[in-house]
Amino acid sequence: MTAQARPPAGTHQPAPGIHRRRRRQLHYELLACGVRGHELVGQDAAELRAEDHLFAREADGLRWHRCLRCDSWLALTPPDPAARRHPPRREEIALPLRGKALRDKVVLRLIAVNRAFHFVVLGALGVGLLVFAAHQSELRGGFYRVLSDLQGPVSASTQHPHGLVSELQKLLSAQVGTLQTVAAVALAYALLEGAEAFGLWYQRRWAEYLTFLATTALLPLEVYELVHRLSPFKVGAFVINVAVVIYLLRAKRLFGVHGGAAADLAERERDSGWAAVELATPAPGTRPTATAALPASGGG
């Protein structure tokens, strides 16, 4: 990515990277560094060059290393012995995600975890119904024998069941074909949720569209369920799905919203790459200030 020149002194221009992100309540860079550690470069180098000032510099007898994710500076002692003479060059360094790219990765993976949970539950339900349908007659006989032993053969609870007993009786009375159809629907939906989870985990654009369309299609059914039988679980699921739809439509700019994929890519590039790193770098010769004490990771 071509480096951008610094704006002339006295002019005000919104800068990408850490400067623009300071207005946010949640710093995904700090969150990622808190979990994975800082991304430092050149910790094992014996000498620093002038070109290394973006991520490492020396001042007052200290070696300062800059996290390429969250822009924190840490004072470390030079290595003894050193594994290499100089830090890697810029083109040899794989920059960690920052800004919008990192935020999207975190949010999409949270949605992927939610979809993976649905995949496991629906898959287990579908398999369970198929097994149940194959042994329905045996289970029905055992159920009524146990119920008769517990409540008596002419109990009112048997004639007018309610609660869990009623639901079990309805399940045992269902046709085998009906159970198999429900199982097939559950398994098909589990596969859909699994595809969404896989694609969102790896930030695939097709998965964003698939998740948006599948979630939006089910919202009317969820509203119907809320109107007829309200529960905290249903309310929570509905709120999560609405939030997912809004996020995908607005933040991921699906269907051309707010400039579409081109605008989304431009915003990601503005927050990432060496141009954003340069705009958030103190001037050469400036003594950095220690800003974090999280564990370090990466480097080379």
Side-chain angles (χ1 to χ4, degrees), residues 78-247:
D80 186 21
R84 58 195 302 168
R85 183 177 180 184
H86 296 127
R89 296 187 179 276
R90 180 184 299 191
E91 57 270 15
E92 300 172 334
I93 300 173
L95 289 175
L97 295 179
R98 296 158 53 100
K100 176 175 172 55
L102 179 59
R103 182 202 68 185
D104 288 344
K105 180 178 180 179
V106 172
V107 175
L108 290 177
R109 287 198 166 182
L110 288 175
I111 300 173
V113 170
N114 175 266
R115 295 309 190 253
F117 174 76
H118 292 172
F119 167 76
V120 172
V121 172
L122 290 170
L125 175 62
V127 172
L129 285 174
L130 288 178
V131 174
F132 179 83
H135 301 85
Q136 186 185 33
S137 58
E138 300 96 308
L139 293 172
R140 184 190 296 116
F143 170 76
Y144 283 115
R145 282 195 299 271
V146 171
L147 193 63
S148 178
D149 292 340
L150 292 176
Q151 299 180 333
V154 293
S155 170
S157 298
T158 305
Q159 298 175 358
H160 303 286
H162 56 82
L164 178 60
V165 174
S166 174
E167 297 301 323
L168 288 174
Q169 191 173 30
K170 291 178 182 178
L171 184 62
L172 291 166
S173 302
Q175 297 294 325
V176 173
T178 301
L179 294 175
Q180 292 174 339
T181 300
V182 174
V185 172
L187 290 175
Y189 193 54
L191 291 177
L192 174 64
E193 296 284 90
E196 292 177 24
F198 175 84
L200 292 175
W201 186 267
Y202 292 102
Q203 297 102 60
R204 300 291 189 263
R205 188 73 171 175
W206 61 262
E208 297 170 6
Y209 277 100
L210 179 63
T211 302
F212 176 85
L213 294 174
T215 305
T216 303
L218 288 177
L219 287 180
L221 179 60
E222 294 186 17
V223 172
Y224 175 84
E225 289 290 331
L226 287 174
V227 171
H228 287 79
R229 184 176 297 179
L230 193 65
S231 71
F233 175 78
K234 291 180 180 179
V235 172
F238 178 75
V239 170
I240 291 175
N241 286 334
V242 170
V244 167
V245 168
I246 294 175
Y247 170 79

Side-chain angles (χ1 to χ4, degrees), residues 65-97:
H65 291 269
R66 182 253 194 94
C67 174
L68 291 175
R69 182 188 293 117
C70 73
D71 295 325
S72 298
W73 288 88
L74 289 83
L76 304 175
T77 56
D80 186 21
R84 58 195 302 168
R85 183 177 180 184
H86 296 127
R89 296 187 179 276
R90 180 184 299 191
E91 57 270 15
E92 300 172 334
I93 300 173
L95 289 175
L97 295 179

Side-chain angles (χ1 to χ4, degrees), residues 11-25:
T11 62
H12 176 73
Q13 177 178 334
I18 196 68
H19 294 298
R20 186 175 60 83
R21 294 194 301 273
R22 282 176 182 158
R23 294 197 297 269
R24 294 180 180 169
Q25 295 293 326

Side-chain angles (χ1 to χ4, degrees), residues 52-57 64-67 71-75 280-282 288-292:
D52 301 327
H53 76 279
L54 290 175
F55 51 80
R57 59 183 65 181
W64 293 85
H65 291 269
R66 182 253 194 94
C67 174
D71 295 325
S72 298
W73 288 88
L74 289 83
T281 302
T289 301
T291 52

